[in-house]
Amino acid sequence: MFTPSPRRTRATAGALAAALGLTLAACSDGSSGADPAPADEEVELVLWLQRDEFLPSDSFEAFEAEHENITVRTVTIPAEEQVSSFLLSSAAGDAPDVLMPTTDLWPPLAQEGALYDMTDLLQTWEEEDPEGFANAATGIAFGTAADGVTYGVGMTGAPTWMVYRTDWFADAGIDEPQTYDELLEAARTIQDEHPDMTPFGIVGGRAASPAAKFLTLFYMMGGTQVDGVPQFDSEAGIYLLEYYQTLMREGLASNDTLAWTSDQTRGSFIEGIEGMTMISQNIYPSIEDSLAFGEEWGVLPHLTRDGADRLMTFRAVTALIAGNTEHPYEASLLVRYLAGEEYGLDISMRYQPSLNAAVQENEEYLAQSPWVPELTEYLASAQPLPAHANAAEIYEVIHDMKQEAIGNPDADAAAIARDAQEQMDAIASE
Amino acid sequence: MTAHLASPGASSTGGTTLPPVPVRRRRRLGPVLGPIIAVLPAVVIVGVFLAYPIGYGLWISLHEVSMFRLATENFVGLANYQALFADPTFRHSLGRTMIFVFGVIVLGMIQSLAFGLVLYHLPQWSRAIRALNLIPFFISSVAVAMIWRFFVQSEGGFTQFLSQSVGQEPISWLASPTLALLVVTVATVWAMAPFSVLLILSGLQTVNSEMYEAAEVDGANAVQRFVHITLPSIRPQIATSLIWLTFQAFNSFGLILALTGGGPGRATEILAVYMYGLGLDQLDLAGSSAVMIIILAFNALFSLLYLKLLPTDEPAQS
């Protein structure tokens, strides 16, 4: 039913190989870019926001007041277009100074030398602002590539957790599940108790990236990766596919699952017609508007697959400095601000959780987000979602694999995983 | 002899023969330069905004491309095209595109003719209703996708309501490969056919009513009048409608991306959606340019076919 795409494999490899030209050009003139010393002139920094919500409430007035020679001009480029638009803009000589793609999509830029190596700038940051530097430690880890070089700083993240209806579970006499098997059993009980409701919501549609939910669940179930390539031809991979197949076969998930995006799953949960699903943490304030945390809904961050090590991963929005910026020091000041406490608190209160340590302990934020203390322990060990340079192509294979399993609940999950793994390995090897 | 044939203006000078050189200049340069100067602005505009991008796309599709410099590297001839046709994903996408385009054309023409006739026969006082026909055409493709998603989703959708009201299980329209392709086809027709209806309506308004009266005197019934008078009379408008629907179907993108994302599986991943993924997700500019040229070639081919089968320069009513 689903077919491999060798063309796509060659395509990205070719594009990236061709992109090496710019890398060499950029590096040959002494960069990773321009001199990282402060400029003694007026500087305009161009910042690419990935959503309008990332514009601070004061539109950078405080930042510009603190740094009088810097003005910030913002352009909103959607998250999924940040990398391709950056490539095109770089080619046209109109690249921004700072961009903010998610962690799984910028490795190709780092690999091809299109980003600024922040090693010296990090040292300067630590010397000038040791407390702010320490608070941004998690963010810095999310801005560090597989080769150990830091190209940016993670600003915010949207970890995805399993949420569930605590009141339904209590009414049905279900203890809080500890494993995914127990969760499946709970879904069966919910189906008996609430036959008109959807026990389990799955994001099965092709319009949603598999990174946020499906891969998070894979690593939480003990999945592993090699050089950023998830190993689905494994116990964890087959378990996940069979898990989805069971949900579909027993009618525990919607018949429309193959068309469901995040909007449908979280909408159904918020509307009170779904028992459990994976939802990103930045959506929790919207849930709270309809349901009371603790009384009507809760989070299950501790679930494990029996006998398996779990790994919490998520994607962060990362502020990266462009390799050809003329003002790397000033750009690094902007990155510091975006990863800092003031901006982090502002955006955490109204949109997405900051990775800044000071924000995560802020009383105002905690009062507004009662679920945070339950998640802190698990967030402490969280890692960036592993990503290969050809992540976009690998995601296409994962889409095919996931949809084949969902659409064919009685098919051999091991065979589906094996076929997909062969395709992913082929993409990674070219 | 020459001056007499080619220069009617010269013959009005009272029998005086004009010097040969000035006459030749007026006869040759006037008719040649005049039209050239008149159409030059249009040629320049079309050349800059249409021909150049297409030509550049064709050029890119024949080369390896550096995404960073937007520069073509090596000339590879038709290698990008060969790679596309060797890719089963592309071939399947091409097949689905043909089914989709055929569906849009057939359903779109049926709707256009039916709505056009209904609107044409509306009484004078209710003709403002014609404007309502255009509403779907003015809605953005993403909004159309949301409308149709609500309409067909099996949980909370309108079709669920209908199914339950007659005691039937709801149908998972968007989770079935066949039904999802049907839904995107119907949604595309719903959004794009209103303009085609307008074309047909404009054609109907040009048909000479005396022909219908003569046919009635000869005993022709309604179907015969439609087949032998109406259809031949609006042949130019039918050809234009077919071209319009074909273009819209081949280039349909936003609606499908928002409604199904190309799924389930790849059931609704037509060429335009495939091209988007290839170019913007996988950064294969040369490959996506090749797909663009293929889409363009199909559009041109179908247009020529329509114009050949339905010539617009010989109105039937003449």
Side-chain angles (χ1 to χ4, degrees):
Chain A
M1 178 178 176
F2 301 106
T3 51
S5 179
R7 163 76 203 170
R8 294 184 170 196
T9 305
R10 288 191 296 276
T12 298
L16 292 177
L20 188 62
L22 182 71
T23 310
L24 297 174
C27 294
S28 62
D29 62 0
S31 15
S32 200
D35 184 359
D40 54 0
E41 58 183 358
E42 294 292 319
V43 172
E44 183 190 68
L45 296 176
V46 177
L47 167 65
W48 278 8
L49 306 171
Q50 67 162 242
R51 295 181 69 128
D52 290 336
E53 285 85 348
F54 284 102
L55 184 70
S57 300
D58 68 353
S59 300
F60 290 105
E61 277 184 20
F63 175 78
E64 290 172 344
E66 187 179 348
H67 307 285
E68 292 182 348
N69 68 324
I70 303 176
T71 54
V72 179
R73 182 162 62 88
T74 61
V75 180
T76 301
I77 305 287
E80 64 274 18
E81 295 174 16
Q82 286 256 333
V83 171
S84 57
S85 295
F86 180 73
L87 291 171
L88 294 171
S89 297
S90 296
D94 192 28
D97 298 284
V98 177
L99 64 159
M100 50 171 71
T102 49
T103 37
D104 58 327
L105 296 181
W106 61 257
L109 298 179
Q111 183 174 312
E112 301 306 330
L115 301 175
Y116 195 91
D117 179 347
M118 284 189 69
T119 304
D120 293 340
L121 292 168
L122 288 178
Q123 192 175 345
T124 305
W125 182 2
E126 188 171 16
E127 290 167 2
E128 293 179 355
D129 179 18
E131 185 181 351
F133 182 80
N135 284 334
T138 302
I140 292 170
F142 275 75
T144 302
D147 60 4
V149 176
T150 300
Y151 295 98
V153 183
M155 306 155 37
T156 62
T160 302
W161 311 96
M162 187 70 70
V163 298
Y164 72 115
R165 288 296 300 262
T166 54
D167 50 349
W168 292 11
F169 276 52
D171 291 346
I174 307 170
D175 292 333
E176 188 176 82
Q178 301 299 312
T179 67
Y180 288 101
D181 285 341
E182 290 177 12
L183 191 71
L184 189 60
E185 200 55 48
R188 291 177 176 127
T189 306
I190 294 295
Q191 186 180 42
D192 294 338
E193 296 288 323
H194 300 274
D196 294 335
M197 304 299 182
T198 304
F200 202 110
I202 301 174
V203 179
R206 204 170 186 94
S209 167
K213 311 287 190 300
F214 190 70
L215 282 177
T216 299
L217 202 50
F218 169 69
Y219 290 115
M220 294 279 265
M221 287 179 168
T224 57
Q225 53 88 25
V226 175
D227 296 332
V229 181
Q231 301 298 298
F232 272 93
D233 189 11
S234 64
E235 199 176 327
I238 295 166
Y239 178 85
L240 174 55
L241 295 181
E242 287 180 340
Y243 201 84
Y244 275 19
Q245 287 178 310
T246 302
L247 290 167
M248 295 305 299
R249 192 169 49 244
E250 297 185 16
L252 299 170
S254 167
N255 289 333
D256 271 354
T257 292
L258 275 175
W260 270 30
T261 64
S262 301
D263 292 344
Q264 275 75 47
T265 53
R266 67 191 180 207
S268 294
F269 189 80
I270 291 170
E271 287 173 21
I273 58 174
E274 188 175 77
M276 61 200 89
T277 189
M278 297 281 285
I279 295 184
S280 298
Q281 197 177 323
N282 59 309
I283 304 299
Y284 294 177
S286 299
I287 301 176
E288 190 70 359
D289 288 343
S290 301
L291 305 168
F293 182 73
E295 296 171 19
E296 293 175 297
W297 73 284
V299 190
L300 296 168
H302 53 266
L303 292 173
T304 60
R305 181 170 62 86
D306 282 338
D309 294 331
R310 60 199 295 285
L311 173 64
M312 176 57 196
T313 65
F314 65 93
R315 299 185 297 173
V317 177
T318 317
L320 301 163
I321 300 178
N324 55 1
T325 181
E326 294 177 4
H327 305 289
Y329 177 75
E330 286 71 22
S332 78
L333 293 178
L334 180 58
V335 169
R336 289 189 208 179
Y337 177 77
L338 294 170
E341 182 178 0
E342 180 184 341
Y343 174 83
L345 182 59
D346 175 23
I347 202 158
S348 295
M349 295 295 288
R350 60 183 170 79
Y351 181 52
Q352 203 168 81
S354 169
L355 300 185
N356 187 285
V359 174
Q360 291 173 20
E361 295 170 0
N362 182 280
E363 290 182 6
E364 189 183 4
Y365 172 58
L366 291 175
Q368 181 189 279
S369 312
W371 46 84
V372 170
E374 291 191 25
L375 306 175
T376 304
E377 173 192 348
Y378 303 96
L379 278 174
S381 59
Q383 295 181 16
L385 180 74
H388 190 271
N390 291 341
E393 288 174 81
I394 289 175
Y395 287 174
E396 287 295 315
V397 177
I398 293 174
H399 263 312
D400 290 345
M401 175 185 66
K402 180 182 72 173
Q403 293 208 304
E404 186 171 1
I406 292 172
N408 302 281
D410 296 319
D412 181 2
I416 295 172
R418 188 169 55 249
D419 289 347
Q421 193 67 57
E422 287 174 4
Q423 293 175 50
M424 286 187 276
D425 291 344
I427 290 170
S429 66
E430 290 191 15
Chain B
M1 178 70 176
T2 305
H4 172 71
L5 283 175
S7 180
S11 66
S12 65
T13 57
T16 305
T17 304
L18 292 172
V21 174
V23 170
R24 271 206 305 272
R25 289 181 65 182
R26 278 205 300 273
R27 286 166 56 202
R28 291 185 178 177
L29 297 183
V32 173
L33 275 182
I36 289 177
I37 292 170
V39 301
L40 192 61
V43 170
V44 170
I45 290 171
V46 169
V48 169
F49 293 105
L50 193 63
Y52 174 74
I54 292 172
Y56 189 58
L58 177 63
W59 179 256
I60 287 176
S61 73
L62 302 174
H63 289 76
E64 285 183 74
V65 178
S66 162
M67 281 294 292
F68 277 82
R69 286 175 291 183
L70 270 192
T72 51
E73 305 278 322
N74 300 320
F75 178 78
V76 295
L78 297 176
N80 287 319
Y81 294 88
Q82 289 172 336
L84 276 178
F85 281 99
D87 180 358
T89 305
F90 170 80
R91 293 200 304 270
H92 289 179
S93 177
L94 181 59
R96 276 184 293 273
T97 304
M98 291 305 164
I99 295 170
F100 173 72
V101 169
F102 179 75
V104 169
I105 290 171
V106 170
L107 293 177
M109 281 314 299
I110 291 172
Q111 177 180 329
S112 301
L113 288 169
F115 280 37
L117 285 168
V118 168
L119 293 176
Y120 177 69
H121 287 101
L122 281 177
Q124 188 73 37
W125 58 267
S126 61
R127 291 193 176 177
I129 292 174
R130 289 174 180 172
L132 298 179
N133 160 69
L134 278 174
I135 288 177
F137 181 62
F138 292 132
I139 301 175
S140 79
S141 57
V142 174
V144 170
M146 293 302 106
I147 290 170
W148 278 87
R149 177 174 277 280
F150 171 74
F151 193 72
V152 301
Q153 65 188 10
S154 69
E155 292 177 20
F158 183 69
T159 55
Q160 180 206 25
F161 168 75
L162 289 180
S163 300
Q164 289 181 337
S165 62
V166 295
Q168 296 295 314
E169 284 292 312
I171 299 170
S172 299
W173 292 92
L174 297 179
S176 157
T178 307
L179 294 178
L181 188 58
L182 178 64
V183 169
V184 297
T185 303
V186 172
T188 302
V189 169
W190 183 83
M192 294 303 161
F195 185 73
S196 173
V197 172
L198 208 61
L199 292 171
I200 297 297
L201 181 60
S202 69
L204 291 171
Q205 289 169 332
T206 65
V207 181
N208 188 343
S209 60
E210 289 177 2
M211 297 173 70
Y212 291 117
E213 292 163 10
E216 278 193 63
V217 170
D218 291 343
N221 61 29
V223 174
Q224 288 171 320
R225 291 199 299 274
F226 177 73
V227 172
H228 296 294
I229 298 176
T230 306
L231 284 182
S233 299
I234 62 171
R235 205 164 50 194
Q237 287 76 21
I238 291 176
T240 310
S241 293
L242 285 169
I243 292 172
W244 163 258
L245 290 169
T246 305
F247 276 30
Q248 291 304 315
F250 268 114
N251 299 331
S252 187
F253 164 70
L255 190 157
I256 295 176
L257 205 65
L259 187 56
T260 65
R266 294 177 187 267
T268 57
E269 191 184 63
I270 66 166
L271 283 181
V273 178
Y274 175 83
M275 178 176 68
Y276 172 84
L278 204 59
L280 289 183
D281 288 342
Q282 300 175 41
L283 312 177
D284 180 8
L285 201 58
S288 60
S289 294
V291 179
M292 182 269 284
I293 295 297
I294 290 169
I295 292 174
L296 180 70
F298 275 115
N299 276 325
L301 192 68
F302 275 90
S303 299
L304 290 173
L305 188 68
Y306 298 145
L307 294 174
K308 182 77 176 173
L309 295 177
L310 299 164
T312 58
D313 55 350
E314 297 173 13
Q317 53 193 349
S318 65

